[in-house]
């Protein structure tokens, strides 16, 4: 295992290029099972979860090539089994359910189980697929699905689930007839998946709204496609500019998709704006506290909650953070407290009181975005911060120490026992 050692107190200055989106690339990789031809993807981030997904696709019978930020997938004779040893490391593996049922009428996928931030059930995925004609059995920790040919259905989700929407969208494009999906997730990553599927010949309308209509087709063809930029990686770097009172220019930054985040950061005292060269982020004045409630898109994203909380720790005044999406997404709070933060949790709400300074300390990463929050705090803290178990961080950030180091951060990756 490895850790990051950060000497805080440097104001970050310079340019950072934003990578392709992890949460768009993952469903699009699984959707590459659907076409009968070759899929060539560009702007694919080089992350652990991407490598895991490519291994899973090969286990399912696809031939995958991966070089730099480009991936090529040629579906072969597909097998239905996604084994537990891979699925347990990445719950997004459940996204192979819809494509497998659509292509070969069977799937045997390990139940993903929960993770640090919550139970992460998949009941909405299964309910929707059953309405489309799939039958499921749960045995030995596996979801075993069968269907002759999926048929179009009218599915209304209990909540706007990102993964549920993506699984049903991938199932519907080859189903017999028309599918209407209501109360769907409106996240940009869902829109990117729909655009990819349309490039393969799928007939889809309404992505980005709360209702998606799909007319099933008999087959899909291969395509070349560029994955959208990662709005959460970009948001994390915007927060890095704020917490260090720096001045960063982000290129390939998805400005429109970050509206809720940018509004909140600017309300705290940042000055984030579009320029011809990219999105420029600095502080207009000392940061002030604000209130945040995480919401499905276009509301404030839960994946930016831990990062903005790090900023609030050093803002003047008090801030309230309500986590309405996941039941246990405050794992970063205790670690921030070890650095001197003043945070009180009551149920799904955290009250943050700004302090004059944070002090460096050894802290433990617990999940992907909590890790990012600790890195941000370390950049601003006085002294040395050691962020341990950064395999969590590597799931969603490609060599974050190189990107931050290039804009002045004193940060290095070393073996955990160094
Ligand atoms: C996606 O997870 C993202 N992951 C998450 O990002 C993100 O936090 C989440 O959407 C919310 O935006 C990927 O895209 C790979 P959901 P997903 O289904 O699809 C409940 C990161 O940091 N629910 O929208 O699993 C669920 O418990 C990761 O990059 C059910 O009850 O999220 C949660 O409370 C973390 N039943 C809420 O819906 C279901 O069948 C939202 O979950 C499905 C979901």
């Amino acid at each position: 295992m490895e850790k990051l050692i950060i000497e805080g107190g440097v104001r970050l200055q310079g340019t950072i290029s934003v990578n392709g989106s992890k949460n768009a690339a993952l469903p699009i990789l699984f959707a590459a099972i659907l076409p009968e031809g070759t899929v060539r993807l560009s702007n694919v981030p080089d992350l652990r979860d991407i490598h895991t997904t490519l291994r899973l696709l090969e286990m399912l019978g696809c031939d995958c090539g991966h070089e730099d930020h480009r991936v090529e997938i040629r579906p072969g004779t597909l097998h239905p089994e996604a084994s537990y040893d891979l699925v347990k490391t990445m719950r997004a593996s459940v996204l192979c359910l819809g494509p497998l049922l659509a292509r070969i009428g069977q799937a045997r996928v390990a139940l993903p189980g929960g993770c640090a931030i919550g139970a992460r059930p998949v009941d909405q995925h299964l309910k929707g697929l059953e309405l489309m004609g799939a039958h499921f059995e749960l045995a030995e920790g596996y979801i075993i699905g069968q269907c002759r040919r999926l048929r179009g259905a009218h599915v209304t989700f209990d909540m706007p689930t990102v993964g549920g929407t993506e699984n049903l969208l991938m199932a519907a494009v080859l189903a017999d007839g028309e599918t209407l999906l209501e109360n769907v997730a409106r996240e940009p990553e869902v829109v990117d998946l729909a655009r990819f599927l349309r490039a393969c010949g799928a007939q889809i309308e309404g992505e980005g709204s709360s209702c998606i209509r799909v007319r099933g087709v008999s087959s899909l063809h291969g395509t070349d496609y560029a994955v959208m930029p990662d709005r959460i990686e970009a948001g994390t770097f915007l927060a890095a500019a704020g917490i260090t009172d720096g001045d960063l220019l982000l290129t390939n930054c998805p400005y429109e998709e970050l509206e809720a985040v940018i509004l909140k950061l600017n309300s705290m005292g940042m000055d984030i704006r579009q320029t011809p060269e990219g999105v420029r982020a600095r502080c207009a004045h000392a940061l002030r506290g604000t209130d945040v409630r995480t919401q499905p898109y276009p509301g404030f994203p839960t994946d930016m909650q831990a990062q903005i909380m790090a900023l609030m720790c050093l803002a003047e005044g008090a801030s309230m953070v309500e986590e309405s999406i996941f039941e246990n997404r405050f794992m970063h709070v205790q670690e921030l407290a070890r650095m001197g933060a003043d945070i009180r949790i009551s149920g799904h709400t955290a009250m943050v009181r700004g302090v004059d300074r944070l002090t460096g300390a050894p802290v433990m990463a617990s999940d992907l975005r909590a890790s990012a929050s600790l890195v941000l705090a370390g950049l601003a803290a006085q002294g040395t911060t050691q962020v341990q178990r950064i395999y969590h961080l590597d799931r969603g950030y490609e060599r974050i120490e190189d990107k931050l180091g290039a804009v002045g951060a004193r940060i290095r990756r070393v073996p955990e026992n160094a």
Side-chain angles (χ1 to χ4, degrees):
M1 291 211 270
E2 298 175 304
K3 63 188 175 184
L4 289 177
I5 296 182
I6 306 168
E7 305 295 335
V10 176
R11 302 170 75 168
L12 303 185
Q13 310 257 347
T15 300
I16 295 181
S17 175
V18 177
N19 274 51
S21 164
K22 166 179 89 80
N23 289 351
L26 291 178
I28 288 173
L29 284 169
F30 285 110
I33 293 173
L34 293 163
E36 289 165 11
T38 299
V39 168
R40 292 180 190 82
L41 301 176
S42 57
N43 203 33
V44 179
D46 188 10
L47 301 169
R48 263 186 63 209
D49 280 5
I50 298 295
H51 302 158
T52 302
T53 302
L54 291 173
R55 280 208 310 278
L56 179 50
L57 288 177
E58 286 179 344
M59 180 189 286
L60 296 175
C62 298
D63 182 24
C64 301
H66 185 201
E67 188 178 353
D68 191 17
H69 294 89
R70 309 180 74 83
V71 170
E72 185 169 297
I73 298 150
R74 290 171 296 284
T77 306
L78 291 172
H79 317 297
E81 170 128 2
S83 74
Y84 179 62
D85 63 333
L86 269 181
V87 173
K88 70 185 176 190
T89 67
M90 185 187 71
R91 63 174 316 284
S93 309
V94 74
L95 291 176
C96 70
L97 260 184
L100 284 173
L101 290 170
R103 276 302 302 275
I104 57 174
Q106 52 179 326
R108 182 177 157 76
V109 180
L111 260 172
C115 69
I117 63 177
R120 314 294 292 275
V122 291
D123 58 294
Q124 300 292 304
H125 302 232
L126 303 181
K127 179 189 91 171
L129 291 167
E130 282 170 343
L131 287 172
M132 295 183 71
H135 301 284
F136 293 104
E137 182 197 339
L138 300 185
E140 299 151 20
Y142 277 77
I143 304 167
I144 301 156
Q146 303 274 349
C147 68
R148 273 197 305 281
R149 186 183 176 197
L150 292 173
R151 59 176 184 272
H154 181 178
V155 178
T156 301
F157 289 106
D158 295 353
M159 81 291 293
T161 153
V162 171
T165 304
E166 291 167 344
N167 239 333
L168 268 291
L169 183 54
M170 292 188 283
V173 294
L174 289 178
D176 184 15
E178 182 167 283
T179 297
L180 187 61
L181 303 176
E182 299 210 71
N183 196 25
V184 297
R186 299 168 55 189
E187 270 68 6
E189 294 76 21
V190 172
V191 172
D192 212 29
L193 171 63
R195 287 184 181 144
F196 166 76
L197 290 168
R198 192 177 292 120
C200 295
Q203 298 190 14
I204 301 168
E205 292 169 357
E207 70 276 7
S209 76
S210 57
C211 178
I212 296 178
R213 188 181 295 274
V214 182
R215 263 183 296 284
V217 295
S218 55
S219 68
L220 295 174
H221 54 73
T223 189
D224 294 358
Y225 192 79
V227 174
M228 68 171 281
D230 193 317
R231 61 191 170 104
I232 304 302
E233 186 201 32
T236 305
F237 291 130
L238 294 176
I243 205 166
T244 63
D245 190 17
D247 185 343
L248 291 180
L249 178 70
L250 300 189
T251 55
N252 308 319
C253 179
Y255 189 84
E256 287 76 20
E257 290 83 353
L258 273 169
E259 186 179 9
V261 173
I262 290 169
L263 284 174
K264 273 298 170 187
L265 293 175
N266 283 347
S267 77
M268 291 182 75
M270 288 194 70
D271 172 11
I272 301 170
R273 64 181 66 191
Q274 283 187 296
T275 75
E277 298 75 33
V279 175
R280 186 162 183 199
R282 51 191 167 170
C283 287
H285 49 70
L287 295 181
R288 294 183 304 269
T290 188
D291 295 340
V292 162
R293 182 169 190 268
T294 62
Q295 297 268 13
Y297 194 87
F300 190 92
T302 176
D303 291 350
M304 276 297 300
Q305 179 257 107
Q307 296 93 309
I308 199 168
M309 188 185 285
L311 220 53
M312 292 165 167
C313 292
L314 288 169
E316 286 168 18
S319 302
M320 294 283 285
V321 177
E322 186 181 348
E323 173 53 60
S324 75
I325 305 292
F326 289 111
E327 59 267 36
N328 186 33
R329 205 167 194 178
F330 285 147
M331 308 280 278
H332 42 288
V333 168
Q334 292 316 316
E335 298 305 301
L336 291 170
R338 289 173 45 74
M339 300 175 72
D342 179 353
I343 308 172
R344 301 271 186 286
I345 296 177
S346 171
H348 289 264
T349 301
M351 160 74 87
V352 184
R353 287 189 177 80
V355 294
D356 292 338
R357 74 182 65 79
L358 294 175
T359 52
V363 290
M364 190 81 73
S366 54
D367 61 85
L368 168 52
R369 306 304 172 181
S371 320
S373 165
L374 300 178
V375 171
L376 293 174
L379 292 172
Q382 284 186 352
T384 305
T385 299
Q386 295 195 15
V387 183
Q388 298 164 6
R389 298 190 182 173
I390 54 168
Y391 57 87
H392 292 291
L393 193 65
D394 293 338
R395 301 191 57 167
Y397 296 91
E398 189 178 326
R399 303 291 305 176
I400 197 169
E401 69 275 14
D402 293 350
K403 290 195 170 187
L404 292 172
V407 292
R410 292 179 302 221
I411 181 172
R412 57 198 169 91
R413 178 186 291 254
V414 299
E416 187 111 324
N417 56 9

